[in-house]
Amino acid sequence: MLGKKRVNFSRHWHFFLLIIFFLTGCTENLSEDNKNSLSPDTAPPKIAPTKPAPTPLSQNHSAWLKDVTPDSGVNFTYQTHITEQGNIIAAVGGGLAAFDVEGDGDLDLYFVQANDLSHGEVKKPPTGNRLFLQTSPLKFVDATEQSGLGDLGHGMGVACADYDGDGDIDVYLCNFGKDALYRNNGDGTFDNVTLEADIEVAGVSVSAGWIDFDQDSDLDLYITQYLEFDPETVCYDAAGRPEFCGPKAFPPALDVFLENMGDGTFRDISKESGIHHSAAASLGVSVFDFDEDGRTDLYLANDAYENNLYRNQESGGFIDEASLLGAALNMNGQAEAGMGVVAADLNRDGLADLFVTHLLMESNTFYRNLGNGLGFNDETGQARLASSSMAYTGFGLTAADIELDGDLDLLIANGKITRGDNPFPCQTPAPLKEYSEPNLLYLNDGNGKFTVDDQRGGLFVESAQVSRGLLHADLDRDGDLDVVITHLHEPSQIFRNDAPRSGSWLTVQLLREGTDPVAEGASVIAFDGDVPLLRIYSACRGYASSFPHEVHFGAIDPGNQITVHWPGGIEEEFQVPEWNQRITLKFGEGNRR
């Protein structure tokens, strides 16, 4: 390895030392020779999954989530072409978006694509991102070429919003290299306006969140930056094998904040906004008003560093109060490898909690919102979310009411970053087959206590891949939430929701015009009997992905009142006489409180 930096694998992901001597293969175990070579004092313990290994690729007819990909017309694989471990950039991308491209009411799908990051002298040319338009329920056609969205950059993530206020959804691409902004022309075509928008973001962008931080009725943009990546840095495990580098092998990068100037251009205000006091290998971002003061805040899931909770100050800019408010570390005072994050009311108390996915041997973390701006408390164990996630590495996630019973369930996309003993059958191609894991479906009992369900998730939980991006969306417009997921080097999947319906449903879209408050970051509250059902109106959630611009409710005893807390502090009440429909609520047409 002449001319390259050799990095010993002593990064924050401390669990490597527990599993590095296991051999490769999705179902292989240690050979007898290797077993005998490990003394009782040095042999790492096997990390057994908390659920039994499922039958490979079984078709469970009682499953709630049915894989409908083969008949959907969607054929997409996030492919980096790597032939060996090492390049961390190749292992952490894979975002996707669901949004209405043409304004016809249907949700379309957009996938970012990677480039060839292999070390070979001859590299495969870029194939570009892919757009699939929905032509009928769960039927799609590839419209990439005519749309202009076939960006050739190395795609990591995507964030969609109407940044120019013309009523249609635009697309920001988080790339390894130069990011790109595409303006929607309103007819299903897009123009790359990166240069004319004065956007010059380059590095390792993974996620982005649209937010009106200064309450001037246009959307500004927060972009996570992962690492100061050096391709000459090579990492190895303790057995001397090439391995994906962790974040501590590189300097962390500083995030970027762009102010929307209202004339189609943006200005980099990262320093003056207050977000440049520390660099922390950021991956996931959530946009929500955690303290209910009318100013939208930001939460960052950081890999191996303390998380950030940027409170939006009345005087302007942000201040990181994650440590003060209990959301920087876990209950043991440890920084964890944060990947995906969602802000959602998981215990039905009307407050937005935080849920963050982490690495193997670091449980995913549930931070309960204490209310009144007091902050958060790590209650992962109390929510029964700790031990069940210890054997997995979570990336994408979503909180969704799968069976319309009035509470939010959790779906998590898993896929390892390091080798290890892996008992799960898989079809993942080398060199990633050692990294495949099944995904997780947690059902909420209505009080913020969760149980892993191994049956009703179908192939979503039964098959093992290296999964990354994940989102929910009512793709077929039948009132329940379907699921789309991406994998490294394996086809993305669409799961139709066939869960038996416990109650009614309601999908809400917010509408604003001109100088009205933006909808991104609004809190929307419906009722199930006397229980408030809070949803955050933001496409920014999960991991490197962009969700539809609408919120969804399920309820056993649906109420007829919807309350919207718009960014800026204006609160309006709307009457909804009937559920089981999609409705649009326009700013100014509700009763102001």
Side-chain angles (χ1 to χ4, degrees), residues 138 240 243 370 467 495 525:
L138 296 174
E243 184 57 287
L370 301 176
S467 303
F495 291 93
I525 300 175

Side-chain angles (χ1 to χ4, degrees), residues 14 299 306-307 326-336 358 361-367 377-380:
H14 53 278
Y299 185 77
E306 292 186 13
N307 299 326
L329 307 167
N330 67 10
M331 65 180 299
N332 298 315
Q334 299 170 326
E336 298 177 293
H358 294 124
M361 294 295 289
E362 295 179 349
S363 75
N364 300 327
T365 303
F366 167 52
Y367 296 99
N377 190 49
D378 181 350
E379 298 188 4
T380 310

Side-chain angles (χ1 to χ4, degrees), residues 545-558:
S545 298
S546 187
F547 285 61
H549 288 80
E550 57 192 36
V551 294
H552 176 272
F553 297 93
I556 303 295
D557 181 17

Side-chain angles (χ1 to χ4, degrees), residues 434-455:
E434 306 163 64
Y435 301 78
S436 290
E437 294 177 329
N439 303 311
L440 291 171
L441 168 62
Y442 287 96
L443 296 183
N444 194 333
D445 70 352
N447 297 304
K449 303 292 190 296
F450 293 84
T451 303
V452 174
D453 193 290
D454 298 322
Q455 301 299 318

Side-chain angles (χ1 to χ4, degrees), residues 465-511:
Q465 294 96 4
V466 185
S467 303
R468 291 296 181 257
L470 172 70
L471 61 78
H472 71 246
D474 183 7
L475 292 176
D476 51 8
R477 294 307 194 196
D478 67 349
D480 56 24
L481 294 174
D482 311 298
V483 178
V484 189
I485 188 169
T486 67
H487 315 291
L488 301 187
H489 296 194
E490 291 190 82
S492 300
Q493 292 174 287
I494 301 172
F495 291 93
R496 186 186 66 217
N497 187 349
D498 289 346
R501 302 187 178 194
S502 300
S504 300
W505 63 272
L506 185 70
T507 299
V508 178
Q509 186 175 30
L510 299 183
L511 180 64

Side-chain angles (χ1 to χ4, degrees), residues 217-331:
S217 298
D218 56 33
L219 289 171
D220 313 296
L221 185 62
Y222 191 100
I223 306 155
T224 70
Q225 295 284 289
Y226 189 37
L227 306 163
E228 297 291 346
F229 180 69
D230 179 1
E232 297 300 307
T233 299
V234 180
C235 297
Y236 301 89
D237 64 17
R241 298 174 297 181
E243 184 57 287
F244 292 111
C245 294
K248 291 299 181 74
F250 309 93
L254 290 166
D255 292 346
V256 176
F257 193 75
L258 302 179
E259 180 184 9
N260 189 335
M261 304 306 295
D263 59 0
T265 66
F266 290 81
R267 182 172 70 99
D268 190 334
I269 59 168
S270 303
K271 291 183 180 179
E272 52 262 52
S273 68
I275 70 163
H276 266 193
H277 292 303
S278 63
S282 302
L283 286 174
V285 57
S286 259
V287 174
F288 72 123
D289 181 6
F290 87 91
D291 53 1
E292 301 179 310
D293 65 352
R295 296 184 297 275
T296 312
D297 311 298
L298 292 160
Y299 185 77
L300 279 298
N302 298 326
D303 190 2
Y305 296 84
E306 292 186 13
N307 299 326
N308 304 113
L309 177 57
Y310 286 117
R311 186 198 289 268
N312 192 340
Q313 302 181 92
E314 186 175 3
S315 58
F318 297 95
I319 182 170
D320 182 13
E321 295 187 350
S323 295
L324 176 67
L325 297 172
L329 307 167
N330 67 10
M331 65 180 299

